Amino acid sequence: MKKMIFLLLLLASQAVQAQKTYIFCGKLIDGISNTIQKQVTIIVDSGKIAGIEKGYIDPGVAGRVIDLKSKTVLPGLIDCHVHLEDILSSNTLMEVFTLSDADIAYRSVNFAKRTLLAGFTTVRDLGGTGVNISMKKAVENGWIDGPRIFTAGKIISSSGGASDPSNGFRDDVFSHRPGPGDGVADGKDELIKAVRLQIKSGADIIKIASTGGVFELGDNNKRAKFTIEEIKTVVEIARDYGLKVACHAHGAEGIRRAVIGGVASIEHGTYMDDEDIKLMKQYGTWYVPTIIAGKAVADSARKGYYPPIIASKGIAFGEQIQKTFAKAYKEGVKIAFGTDAGAFDHGKNYLEFQYMVEAGMPEMEAIKSATSNAAILLGKENDLGSVSKGKFADIIAVDGDPLTDIKVMKNVVFVMKAGKVFVN
Ligand SMILES: [Zn+2]
């Protein structure tokens, strides 16, 4: 009997192994090389890329063929800055009082799916209520369809900083004054606690805010909100667990402190000055621009979504951000693709490519910022970010040639994540 079960298991495993997939690619942008390859076959086995061969390889009797001969094939895209829990509306400010975690969870299922179907097979979720950690689990368990998620859990800011939910409201509106468990912390001891609590909850990245933000009431997003020592504490504790720190920053002083403090990436970086640029190059700090977020927030501000204090910050953000990106790119700051999706409709992340190219970045560089370079920022360059042997089979295809018209990144006609096809 035991022998029989063993034989059956052996046969079953051989059957699975035999199910190799052969993807015929008319054109392939592999995410690393600057040249496009023509007429190649990607062989996928057990969720990974087993090989890339010239020409269209005979799959044999057991192989499955996916014909993308008329398409451009690329690595699955990586968005380094999304908020899968959120969607901006004229009601956004009220949601802290009206939506439960369950409400947020149900709403976000659709956002995760749309992101994946738009070709983004991996995201960094840079802050929410903690539902984002459950969402990661839901995707990993196959309960919902979504991109591979690396999540920050809750954003950590100082009292009155960008992620303090009580900003602008009466103290007694909340059941307690937000503390380290809510992502609000001041000084070394509270910050150690805040970081460890997020890691304990399941965060893969630590996200802090070293300046104010656009969306809170009564705050100035140019002002620095942490000392260098506070930022160093966060970076040091995160490093104990092998985690990197992403830092929301608009104002120049907050950017400077975050870079010196050792963060891995500056998010938005709106009012980055020459000294910041010099320091980012010196420290090797990544810049995640989120141009589309600036434009979307400015648009919604002009539509009258927010009170004047938020509207004026939003419009200024939108008017500046693409110029900052253009300068940072030209000066040689390392750029990783990120959109702040949630500040605009999930699934329209591709618009960022257009804004990057419009601001002077060549198409191939823009694609690399969302593939191999984004994978380096994630620390996952051995598994993700390119069509190479041994990496996860995260593969997409678009209609048209993105190197001559970046707008075709909108036309995603094929999505595979870890060997599983979601769009064909
Ligand atoms: Zn954000």
Side-chain angles (χ1 to χ4, degrees):
M1 186 65 181
K2 262 187 189 166
K3 224 179 199 174
M4 180 113 145
I5 291 171
F6 175 75
L7 267 173
L8 281 172
L9 283 172
L10 190 72
L11 283 170
S13 79
Q14 279 173 345
V16 170
Q17 274 172 17
Q19 256 302 315
K20 283 187 188 167
T21 302
Y22 292 72
I23 304 174
F24 295 165
C25 314
K27 290 177 183 166
L28 172 66
I29 295 171
D30 69 9
I32 292 176
S33 164
N34 283 326
T35 51
I36 209 163
Q37 297 174 62
K38 288 187 178 156
Q39 301 191 347
V40 294
T41 302
I42 305 169
I43 303 159
V44 175
D45 189 8
S46 310
K48 298 243 176 146
I49 296 168
I52 299 129
E53 305 281 349
K54 284 208 172 84
Y56 299 131
I57 302 296
D58 178 4
V61 277
R64 170 176 69 148
V65 169
I66 293 170
D67 184 350
L68 300 172
K69 284 184 205 152
S70 62
K71 314 294 175 199
T72 305
V73 176
L74 302 110
L77 303 170
I78 302 173
D79 190 327
C80 295
H81 191 138
V82 304
H83 300 277
L84 286 174
E85 293 183 13
D86 299 340
I87 187 64
L88 203 57
S89 75
S90 54
N91 211 25
T92 292
L93 281 179
M94 285 303 293
E95 287 181 353
V96 65
F97 305 111
T98 56
L99 295 186
S100 68
D101 284 359
D103 295 330
I104 292 169
Y106 276 112
R107 185 176 68 172
S108 64
V109 169
N110 190 25
F111 299 158
K113 187 164 187 170
R114 270 193 246 160
T115 304
L116 176 63
L117 300 191
F120 290 83
T121 50
T122 299
V123 298
R124 285 199 311 174
D125 187 297
L126 286 191
T129 62
V131 165
N132 46 10
I133 294 174
S134 302
M135 201 188 314
K136 172 199 169 86
K137 200 189 287 176
V139 171
E140 280 178 357
N141 288 329
W143 301 336
I144 63 169
D145 287 346
R148 186 179 278 106
I149 298 172
F150 295 94
T151 178
K154 292 174 186 168
I155 301 169
I156 299 169
S157 78
S158 54
S159 290
S163 67
D164 184 339
S166 64
N167 280 339
F169 297 109
R170 252 175 31 212
D171 263 359
D172 58 343
V173 168
F174 290 84
S175 60
H176 65 282
R177 193 183 285 275
D182 308 293
V184 178
D186 305 292
K188 194 167 182 156
D189 291 348
E190 284 192 1
L191 281 163
I192 291 173
K193 184 150 200 169
V195 173
R196 288 190 182 142
L197 284 173
Q198 286 314 307
I199 296 170
K200 182 186 171 199
S201 301
D204 308 292
I205 308 150
I206 296 300
K207 164 88 175 288
I208 60 168
S210 72
T211 72
V214 170
F215 280 106
E216 64 280 357
L217 291 161
D219 192 11
N220 182 334
N221 63 332
K222 288 185 184 170
R223 225 177 275 290
K225 297 287 178 87
F226 273 134
T227 65
I228 293 178
E229 288 314 310
E230 285 177 312
I231 295 166
K232 280 186 174 163
T233 299
V234 168
V235 170
E236 191 184 325
I237 300 301
R239 202 175 279 151
D240 283 346
Y241 297 82
L243 304 195
K244 296 189 183 190
V245 178
C247 183
H248 156 110
H250 289 289
E253 175 64 16
I255 296 170
R256 188 183 72 80
R257 293 185 192 178
V259 172
I260 294 170
V263 305
S265 64
I266 295 293
E267 311 293 316
H268 318 301
T270 315
Y271 304 105
M272 186 182 292
D273 64 13
D274 290 342
E275 194 195 346
D276 293 335
I277 287 177
K278 201 174 128 204
L279 283 169
M280 286 176 79
K281 284 159 68 179
Q282 186 187 326
Y283 281 76
T285 316
W286 289 88
Y287 177 35
V288 180
T290 73
I291 305 166
I292 180 176
K295 291 185 182 277
V297 171
D299 281 351
S300 53
R302 289 190 193 101
K303 279 186 210 155
Y305 276 23
Y306 322 111
I309 189 166
I310 293 180
S312 64
K313 286 187 285 182
I315 290 167
F317 174 29
E319 284 173 354
Q320 181 57 42
I321 188 74
Q322 198 173 17
K323 294 177 204 160
T324 301
F325 165 79
K327 184 168 178 187
Y329 171 68
K330 206 168 132 220
E331 298 281 333
V333 176
K334 295 194 293 185
I335 311 263
F337 183 100
T339 62
D340 217 359
F344 60 93
D345 291 344
H346 296 276
K348 290 190 178 165
N349 316 50
Y350 59 83
L351 286 168
E352 185 78 6
F353 286 114
Q354 298 177 30
Y355 295 134
M356 291 168 107
V357 170
E358 215 174 80
M361 187 182 240
E363 288 82 353
M364 189 62 109
E365 283 299 306
I367 290 167
K368 282 184 174 180
S369 80
T371 54
S372 52
N373 285 335
I376 294 170
L377 170 56
L378 274 169
K380 298 290 170 190
E381 64 272 29
N382 293 330
D383 295 323
L384 304 172
S386 70
V387 176
S388 324
K389 193 176 172 181
K391 294 201 182 175
F392 280 111
D394 289 4
I395 297 164
I396 68 161
V398 296
D399 240 335
D401 180 359
L403 299 184
T404 52
D405 180 11
I406 198 69
K407 288 201 179 87
V408 308
M409 294 305 286
K410 182 184 176 184
N411 310 331
V412 171
V413 293
F414 175 78
V415 177
M416 171 183 270
K417 189 184 78 173
K420 187 177 171 192
V421 176
F422 291 87
V423 178
N424 191 5

